[in-house]
Amino acid sequence: MPRTALLDRLAPGNRPAGPPVRPRSLLHRHWIVVTVIGVLVLAAVIVPLRPWERCGAGLTAEDDVCVGLSLESGALRDDDPLSTLETVIADRNAQAGAVYKTVVVLENLTPDPDVDSTPIDFIRHEVQGAIAAAWPRPDTTGVKLLLANYGSNAEHWRAAVDQIIASAESEHIAAVTGIGISLQNTRDAIAELSSHGIVTLGATVTADDLNVDANGKRVKNFFRVGPTNSDEAHAAVNYIAKLPKRRTMLVADVNEADTYAGTLAKAFTEQQLVPIQFSKKYDSLEGQLTGTSRDEYLQKLFRGMHSDICNAQPDVIYFAGRGVDLRSFIYALSNDGACQQLRSVTVISGDDAATLVDTKLPLTGDIAVTPLYTALAYPDQWKMFTGNDAALTYQQNYTDFLNAYTGTHEFEAGGLSDGAAMIEHDAVATAVKAAEDDPSSGPRSVANFVAALDCNSGVPGATGFIAFRQDSGNQIDKVLPILRIQADGSASPVDLVWSQGRPLDTSPSCTS
């Protein structure tokens, strides 16, 4: 029966008063639940993913950054300043082809300025140098580059190293370069990689004891592209010996975790050419300080030395510490009162002072300071080396690097002044050369091809020919430019010194 006829038969009092009632929808019946879900969805869209939700393959989250091996070449933290370079690496890795070898750059890629001594610009230049070495021409294939992050003070070196070891076969990892700064943590990382047959090529690590493990045993798979601290101290001593006034003081960091400062001070102390009349020690301490910054703490500490330095009247101060500490030291000398006995002083330090390049410094204050340092590299260093055929060869090698850096990849030449790009380029170029020579696709045999790079077969690099001593893995006859830092942060060359007093002998009768 039609519904209208049925209604007509109902008594008036039994008829519905309006339209038939329909069941409420789920939206009406559960509006509270739906509202909560909507808010959560909206929040997920608006609020950025937390680090542990966005770290890519090979990475884990620690302290708001991603550590490990970046297999996807993605961001390592929010607003990652290396994101442009990570995109370049991802794009070039995609063009590597089916047959390739991989070089890993292991560094603190997420430096914290309150804890770490190396600024992000220095790290950026290192990565740029690595890119220029991996792909010097637009058509370069067969090479992949991966970044590995071990965080501040290499605290998470285990996470990075474990992932490199786990990925060594699948990613065809030939070598690990970079290594960052000379710390006990980086020393442990080098030893662990070596124990699994993986070669490490240190670029900026200069502590003499980085090539031995905690038990004093030689790390056979470690090679050093840069100089040792003994090389740097030797260069500084020879420079000081030529000065007309050379009354010398040593200021040294005694932080036991920082092997860079310790071995630099040891090497300078053991030399016999320049007597040390006075010495002062400080402890930079490890990790984050409570309620103050590293700079504030050290400036206060160095101000306590001001009157003693004033009374000692040194002509030269050898500063065995980090570049960031040297900045605090200069501020303390400049701003803690006039000194009638000491109007000016020359302060010489090691290669870590390169981190002060492009940093303005108060050099004409209460005690005027002339800061010098033994550098790993400098773009104009070969202009100081002239007069023979070898000089032309070194200059051409640098030009080849420059063409890759500013030509193929269009990086700014201004980024070369701290030497980071040049020295990391040479580490990666050496790794690529050894990997290309090695017919194996695994990592264990690469060390033999690196060791074969002796005085007869050095790799042409931006910083000179790269060749290694068979007994230590250290480079042979490394050149060291001595640079002066100006008040505006620019660097200018003062001298060019060879660690063994001469350029690398590449004759058939050479010995290594």
Side-chain angles (χ1 to χ4, degrees):
M1 180 182 297
R3 182 173 179 274
T4 52
L6 176 61
L7 291 175
D8 288 341
R9 291 190 177 188
L10 291 175
N14 293 330
R15 291 183 184 180
V21 176
R22 295 183 174 88
R24 288 187 299 168
S25 67
L26 287 174
L27 181 63
H28 285 82
R29 283 185 288 166
H30 302 288
W31 65 272
I32 295 178
V33 175
V34 172
T35 301
V36 171
I37 292 173
V39 169
L40 291 175
V41 171
L42 183 61
V45 173
I46 296 174
V47 179
L49 290 175
R50 292 168 294 183
W52 53 88
E53 294 171 332
R54 60 157 168 73
C55 291
L59 299 168
T60 57
E62 294 286 351
D63 303 326
D64 295 331
V65 300
C66 299
V67 298
L69 178 64
S70 184
L71 295 171
E72 298 172 345
S73 300
L76 299 172
R77 65 182 178 188
D78 289 335
D79 300 320
D80 192 340
L82 301 177
S83 60
T84 301
L85 298 178
E86 288 157 351
T87 299
V88 171
I89 291 172
D91 290 345
R92 291 308 303 254
N93 283 345
Q95 303 172 36
V99 180
Y100 63 87
K101 301 285 182 71
T102 298
V103 177
V104 175
V105 177
L106 175 61
E107 253 288 7
N108 174 14
L109 300 169
T110 52
D112 180 347
D114 290 334
V115 177
D116 300 304
S117 61
T118 305
I120 188 61
D121 282 345
F122 193 91
I123 302 297
R124 180 184 294 107
H125 299 155
E126 282 189 284
V127 176
Q128 289 173 336
I131 290 171
W135 305 294
R137 299 174 304 279
D139 60 348
T140 306
T141 58
V143 175
K144 283 189 176 182
L145 194 67
L146 291 177
L147 302 181
N149 183 32
Y150 53 42
S152 293
N153 288 322
E155 181 179 354
H156 304 292
W157 70 267
R158 175 64 69 179
V161 167
D162 283 353
Q163 190 60 55
I164 292 170
I165 293 169
S167 305
E169 294 290 343
S170 61
E171 294 297 327
H172 307 154
I173 292 175
V176 176
T177 69
I179 314 303
I181 61 177
S182 302
L183 299 170
Q184 184 58 50
N185 284 340
T186 51
R187 185 183 182 187
D188 291 341
I190 290 167
E192 184 67 14
L193 288 166
S194 177
S195 70
H196 286 81
I198 298 176
V199 168
T200 55
L201 287 157
T204 59
V205 284
T206 56
D208 290 66
D209 60 2
L210 261 292
N211 59 348
V212 295
D213 62 20
N215 298 317
K217 185 178 179 181
R218 161 89 165 95
V219 180
K220 66 178 182 178
N221 292 318
F222 173 68
F223 299 86
R224 194 193 312 260
V225 172
T228 64
N229 279 344
S230 291
D231 292 334
E232 295 196 35
H234 182 265
V237 165
N238 280 281
Y239 178 80
I240 294 170
K242 294 185 294 185
L243 296 176
K245 295 182 178 182
R246 51 179 181 166
R247 184 178 171 89
T248 303
M249 170 180 275
L250 171 66
V251 175
D253 185 1
V254 294
N255 180 354
E256 293 182 356
D258 193 338
T259 59
Y260 165 82
T263 57
L264 196 64
K266 182 175 184 290
F268 191 81
T269 301
E270 291 178 348
Q271 57 80 28
Q272 303 296 319
L273 188 58
V274 176
I276 302 170
Q277 277 87 8
F278 316 96
S279 63
K280 287 287 184 181
K281 297 178 180 179
Y282 75 96
D283 192 336
S284 62
L285 301 180
E286 187 177 7
Q288 177 71 57
L289 297 171
T290 303
T292 188
S293 68
R294 180 174 179 144
D295 178 51
E296 291 173 341
Y297 156 70
L298 287 176
Q299 280 202 48
K300 182 69 173 179
L301 198 61
F302 291 141
R303 287 192 189 106
M305 301 180 185
H306 187 278
S307 61
D308 290 340
I309 293 173
C310 178
N311 292 329
Q313 302 176 53
D315 302 306
V316 179
I317 297 174
Y318 191 75
F319 189 87
R322 291 288 169 188
V324 66
D325 301 347
L326 175 59
R327 180 187 62 191
S328 303
F329 184 68
I330 291 172
Y331 267 88
L333 291 181
S334 178
N335 298 329
D336 203 47
C339 172
Q340 296 302 319
Q341 301 97 311
L342 184 64
R343 299 297 182 89
S344 64
V345 66
T346 296
V347 179
I348 303 180
S349 192
D351 67 276
D352 199 71
T355 59
L356 297 184
V357 173
D358 296 329
T359 300
K360 292 183 178 181
L361 298 171
L363 302 182
T364 57
D366 298 327
I367 299 177
V369 178
T370 300
L372 308 177
Y373 70 99
T374 46
L376 298 177
Y378 184 68
D380 289 335
Q381 67 185 48
W382 299 119
K383 293 180 180 179
M384 294 185 284
F385 181 44
T386 59
N388 55 41
D389 292 340
L392 296 176
T393 301
Y394 282 95
Q395 182 62 52
Q396 183 58 54
N397 293 341
Y398 174 76
T399 299
D400 292 341
F401 154 76
L402 191 62
N403 289 337
Y405 189 84
T406 62
T408 301
H409 297 286
E410 299 182 347
F411 296 141
E412 295 291 334
L416 298 173
S417 58
D418 58 16
M422 295 171 63
I423 197 72
E424 184 62 37
H425 166 275
D426 287 2
V428 174
T430 303
V432 170
K433 173 66 168 64
E436 290 175 343
D437 291 344
D438 184 5
S440 171
S441 60
R444 292 187 300 118
S445 53
V446 177
N448 290 324
F449 290 90
V450 177
L453 299 172
D454 58 16
C455 53
N456 288 135
S457 57
V459 176
T463 67
F465 282 97
I466 311 302
F468 302 104
R469 296 189 179 282
Q470 300 302 303
D471 60 343
S472 66
N474 292 330
Q475 193 185 158
I476 308 170
D477 299 332
K478 179 72 177 71
V479 69
L480 291 155
I482 296 179
L483 306 182
R484 176 177 180 175
I485 304 177
Q486 309 291 346
D488 63 357
S490 61
S492 58
V494 174
D495 202 356
L496 193 69
V497 181
W498 301 87
S499 61
Q500 302 302 314
R502 57 173 172 76
L504 176 69
D505 177 14
T506 58
S507 68
S509 60
C510 70
T511 59
S512 57

